[in-house]
Amino acid sequence: MKKNKTAIVVLNWHGGVDTVTCLQTLIGLRANDFSIFVVDNDSQDDSLSYIRRWLTDYARRDDARFAFNDLTAGPSNQGAADALGATGQIVLLQAGRNGGYAAGNNVGLRLAMQAGFDYFWILNNDTEVDPDALACLRTRMADAPTIGICGSTLIYAHDRTRVQARGGATFLPLKGRGVPIDAFESVSDAFDATAVEERLRYVIGASMFVRREFIETVGLMAEDYFLYWEEIDWATRGRPAFTLGYAADSLVYHKVGASIGTSDSGVGSPLSEYYMARGRLKYCLRHSKISVPFVLFESGRSMFRWVLKSDWRRVRNLARAVSGLSYVK
């Protein structure tokens, strides 16, 4: 019997409008046998109520494809988890705290694992998906049972002619840096999907399609990164038991850094810079010690650049990042 039952996990933090836009495209997927788990990561704005209102209104429509299952009222509703194995639901739940990207997504993954789903599509809330995106991911996974995590073609939402990454990224050990595959190339450029998979060292977290057996074997994402580098840590822990895949025709349009100010070109926000530096050093100390001297050198060079610009907040927080200290506003 073909196992296709898929849980799509979407994490929200202060992004209610983006999350609803993402849900609107997910509802339009040309696929069956899936449910959507929306996890709110303890948003302090009106995100949760905004999403709940939209879902309530959607569920009342005559053409509604999905039932709305609201688990946000607290532990008394958790008994409903036993009924979540049926597909065709949008489940809304709270993480209970803002523990970061991995912790929030893990809340949804744990519940979906308990409900018996076969695949798990971790999808950023600042994305929109092509109607065939899910079907293409399932097909690639079915073709290669060794694939643990499969990526999509990530395309910039603001310029849908340009690729953010084909599936994910390579990793340069002597620089301690990931390099997205075919970043900024034209969507229409020729490419070799097999060659892309050979170069993949991790699937970018904006769209990760994960096999149940991968999670059962490797475990959930490490939560101590808080933000960034979780996906390469996960992929590294999965080798050599599992490979990485690329579903070229699974198209996902990504707004990039909508919640925290990440930037693929130019300077990101101080907070994103802090977590990027912190996670990079943590990963390299854990999995690529040869990278550590270069990572420390580059962090020092970045601090010197901000000294020259008298941006003492960035200097202070980069120093705190490499020292393992918390971010200071």
Side-chain angles (χ1 to χ4, degrees), residues 195-247:
V196 169
E197 289 189 340
E198 290 172 351
R199 296 171 61 195
L200 275 176
R201 290 299 173 268
Y202 64 97
V203 171
I204 288 177
S207 175
M208 293 191 291
F209 195 69
V210 188
R211 192 184 300 276
R212 181 182 184 90
E213 289 79 7
F214 180 91
I215 299 176
E216 290 174 337
T217 302
V218 178
L220 295 168
M221 283 185 282
E223 299 182 4
D224 58 341
Y225 289 92
F226 192 83
L227 190 65
Y228 308 130
W229 295 84
E230 302 95 339
E231 64 263 66
I232 185 171
D233 178 276
W234 215 15
T236 302
R237 285 159 49 206
R239 292 198 301 266
F242 296 92
T243 60
L244 301 176
Y246 170 48

Side-chain angles (χ1 to χ4, degrees), residues 56-177:
T56 301
D57 290 342
Y58 166 76
R60 290 171 178 160
R61 286 167 37 180
D62 291 339
D63 63 344
R65 234 183 120 186
F66 294 85
F68 173 35
N69 197 332
D70 189 354
L71 298 187
T72 61
S76 61
N77 277 350
Q78 295 307 306
D82 295 338
L84 296 180
T87 56
Q89 302 184 67
I90 301 178
V91 182
L92 183 63
L93 59 154
Q94 296 182 74
R97 65 186 179 96
N98 182 10
Y101 170 85
N105 278 301
N106 284 348
V107 169
L109 290 173
R110 285 190 190 95
L111 187 58
M113 287 281 288
Q114 293 169 7
F117 284 82
D118 307 307
Y119 292 120
F120 308 88
W121 190 8
I122 300 166
L123 195 65
N124 272 21
N125 74 315
D126 60 349
T127 60
E128 299 173 30
V129 303
D130 181 80
D132 294 316
L134 175 56
C136 294
L137 287 164
R138 286 172 168 174
T139 296
R140 183 69 194 109
M141 283 293 217
D143 288 344
T146 62
I147 294 175
I149 307 176
C150 188
S152 304
T153 298
L154 294 175
I155 300 169
Y156 287 108
H158 68 278
D159 180 1
R160 298 194 175 196
T161 69
R162 296 290 165 190
V163 172
Q164 182 195 2
R166 294 198 184 279
T170 61
F171 179 73
L172 306 177
L174 294 181
K175 292 189 175 182
R177 181 180 294 281

Side-chain angles (χ1 to χ4, degrees), residues 23-100:
L23 288 172
Q24 289 170 328
T25 66
L26 291 175
I27 287 168
L29 283 168
R30 284 193 284 260
N32 296 311
D33 216 13
F34 71 93
S35 286
I36 305 166
F37 291 73
V38 181
V39 183
D40 183 71
N41 223 13
D42 196 29
S43 295
Q44 299 302 304
D45 63 358
D46 67 345
S47 291
L48 184 59
S49 59
Y50 179 84
I51 295 166
R52 184 186 292 112
R53 286 195 304 272
W54 186 86
L55 286 171
T56 301
D57 290 342
Y58 166 76
R60 290 171 178 160
R61 286 167 37 180
D62 291 339
D63 63 344
R65 234 183 120 186
F66 294 85
F68 173 35
N69 197 332
D70 189 354
L71 298 187
T72 61
S76 61
N77 277 350
Q78 295 307 306
D82 295 338
L84 296 180
T87 56
Q89 302 184 67
I90 301 178
V91 182
L92 183 63
L93 59 154
Q94 296 182 74
R97 65 186 179 96
N98 182 10

Side-chain angles (χ1 to χ4, degrees), residues 236-270:
T236 302
R237 285 159 49 206
R239 292 198 301 266
F242 296 92
T243 60
L244 301 176
Y246 170 48
D249 293 328
S250 174
L251 307 182
V252 174
Y253 305 97
H254 188 202
K255 297 172 187 176
V256 184
S259 63
I260 196 171
T262 310
S263 175
D264 283 352
S265 58
V267 179
S269 70

